[in-house]
Amino acid sequence: MSLDLVFDYLVSPVFLRGALMTLLITVCSLFFGVLTGLVIALVQETRSKAGNMVVLVYLWLFRGTPVLFQIIFIYNVLPSFGIRFTAFTSAVLALSLNEGAYMAEILRSGLQAVKKGQRTAGLALGMTGAQVMRLVVLPQAARIVLPPIGNQMIGMLKLSALVSVVAVEELLLVANQVASANFRYFEALTAAGLYYLALTTVFMVLQGMMERSLDPKRRRVGSRTPTLMERLTGSMVRASVR
């Protein structure tokens, strides 16, 4: 193993572009996945028979087939019907639709966790149904669903490696291409693994900061800034205390 070569890979523009592409795919897919999941969860709240039937088919389709199958289908099969997307768009679309199916269940559970009495109280105060949802239900549901959404974000980061099958130059594909030129797979994959660990660490820190900002009890406990280790292990510590 050559540590110098690992360092060269870490600072090389090729690996940096691959890491940025991985990050871009993750953020875009998660953003559109959350939006899709929120729409589905709200449709389920309306208890519309037609809407729930569409949602049921969507969940059955995207939870019942592999993500890799969905990526290949959108990129290779849809063009035969006259629907063409770039490799990047196909990757983000497939990951977003797949993520939306799982986000819908997470968000639905968060919405249902808010007691119905609070909705009734909001309506009694003269709020409309949309205002109750926006001002009363969603802020409380956000605090409940943030930990599983954080886990989904890390999972999405790792799933992004699958888009290499449609030649999107994300981190793992870049590492494999570089290693295939000189057969130094250990160094190239080590550099890619360090990038993945760095990105997941950033996500975990951001999740811990967001959980703290949304938890009113934690906001009242002093003003000391938590250390990095406290942010990384905050979820596990809180679980053990409970």
Side-chain angles (χ1 to χ4, degrees):
M1 175 180 177
S2 173
L3 293 178
D4 292 337
L5 185 57
V6 172
F7 179 78
D8 290 340
Y9 285 154
L10 287 174
V11 298
S12 67
V14 175
F15 270 76
L16 182 58
R17 285 197 301 269
L20 291 177
M21 178 60 71
T22 294
L23 181 61
L24 181 61
I25 292 172
T26 301
V27 172
C28 290
S29 301
L30 189 69
F31 175 76
F32 290 112
V34 170
L35 287 182
T36 303
L38 180 59
V39 170
I40 293 173
L42 292 177
V43 169
Q44 290 176 311
E45 286 286 303
T46 63
R47 303 189 184 281
S48 167
K49 290 185 178 181
N52 278 293
M53 182 59 66
V54 173
V55 166
L56 180 62
V57 172
Y58 172 83
L59 295 177
W60 169 74
L61 180 62
F62 284 95
R63 295 178 68 182
T65 55
V67 184
L68 187 58
F69 167 85
Q70 296 163 18
I71 295 172
I72 295 174
F73 187 93
I74 290 175
Y75 185 70
N76 291 328
V77 178
L78 290 187
S80 62
F81 297 95
I83 305 173
R84 298 181 182 275
F85 299 108
T86 64
F88 176 82
T89 303
S90 298
V92 171
L93 180 60
L95 292 177
S96 299
L97 291 173
N98 181 269
E99 187 69 10
Y102 294 93
M103 282 293 179
E105 297 302 307
I106 293 174
L107 295 173
R108 183 174 65 87
S109 64
L111 293 174
Q112 293 180 347
V114 179
K115 296 181 179 179
K116 293 183 178 180
Q118 298 192 40
R119 306 187 188 201
T120 304
L123 294 174
L125 291 174
M127 292 183 180
T128 64
Q131 288 176 325
V132 170
M133 181 63 66
R134 181 169 58 88
L135 300 176
V136 178
V137 178
L138 288 180
Q140 297 181 70
R143 180 168 55 88
I144 297 171
V145 303
L146 184 59
I149 287 179
N151 292 333
Q152 288 294 112
M153 180 183 295
I154 295 174
M156 177 60 67
L157 175 67
K158 292 179 285 188
L159 280 178
S160 66
L162 295 176
V163 305
S164 61
V165 73
V166 292
V168 177
E169 293 190 348
E170 48 76 49
L171 184 57
L172 189 59
L173 179 61
V174 167
N176 191 49
Q177 289 175 337
V178 170
S180 63
N182 56 10
F183 299 100
R184 303 299 293 267
Y185 283 94
F186 188 86
E187 289 82 355
L189 292 178
T190 297
L194 291 174
Y195 267 114
Y196 278 118
L197 288 173
L199 291 174
T200 54
T201 300
V202 171
F203 286 165
M204 292 169 68
V205 171
L206 290 176
Q207 178 185 349
M209 294 172 63
M210 292 176 66
E211 287 182 16
R212 181 179 179 84
S213 66
L214 291 175
D215 191 341
K217 293 182 180 179
R218 295 191 65 186
R219 286 201 302 265
R220 290 195 294 265
V221 180
S223 59
R224 183 177 65 86
T225 302
T227 63
L228 175 61
M229 185 58 64
E230 288 173 337
R231 292 172 181 171
L232 294 177
T233 60
S235 299
M236 292 185 292
V237 171
R238 288 195 298 278
S240 63
V241 171
R242 293 195 187 101

